[in-house]
Amino acid sequence: ALPALKRGQKIQQRAAKTGFEWPEAYQVLDKFEEELQELREAMASGEEDKIIDELGDVFFVLTNFGRKLGVDCESAMAGANRKFEKRFRGMEVAASKQGREFSDCTLEEQEGLWRAQKKVYK
């Protein structure tokens, strides 16, 4: 009944207790790069089931990386969500102050607004 990220960390913690574990956190990043390549290949195939499977593997390995760093991934994701929401709202407000709808801005203009918000909400 746990959220998926927290459950992933618990599963990995249980596996680590048996010795099924990379000794160093940087080794998990190597696995992340491998999984990311597999996701790229799945995307190139266009097969939705493969894409979903590989994206899940990417999430799982990043969750393991967080666990290796002693980070609660559920809390980290909640914080990232809050930060993104603040930045996104800030971009919409900034566009409005310019007399524009955010959705009417070009991607380049949106990127500029994003960079400005990153300075405000770190």
Side-chain angles (χ1 to χ4, degrees), residues 40-105:
R40 285 185 175 110
E41 291 167 7
M43 291 169 60
S45 79
E47 295 180 47
E48 186 177 351
D49 288 346
K50 284 185 179 179
I51 294 168
I52 291 168
D53 185 57
E54 295 302 336
L55 183 58
D57 288 350
V58 167
F59 289 148
F60 193 79
V61 76
L62 283 176
T63 300
N64 194 28
F65 184 62
R67 183 189 62 80
K68 288 290 291 180
L69 296 177
V71 173
D72 176 70
C73 290
E74 198 68 39
S75 297
M77 187 65 194
N81 287 342
R82 284 189 300 275
K83 182 171 55 175
F84 180 85
E85 287 174 328
K86 288 177 186 175
R87 289 175 178 175
F88 192 80
R89 276 191 235 114
M91 291 188 314
E92 291 176 315
V93 168
S96 178
K97 286 181 180 177
Q98 296 172 4
R100 305 182 68 196
E101 289 291 324
F102 179 74
S103 59
D104 292 335
C105 296

Side-chain angles (χ1 to χ4, degrees), residues 2-14:
L2 293 172
L5 292 174
K6 191 164 285 296
R7 180 167 160 67
Q9 283 191 294
K10 290 227 182 253
I11 291 167
Q12 293 160 358
Q13 187 174 33
R14 191 177 70 191

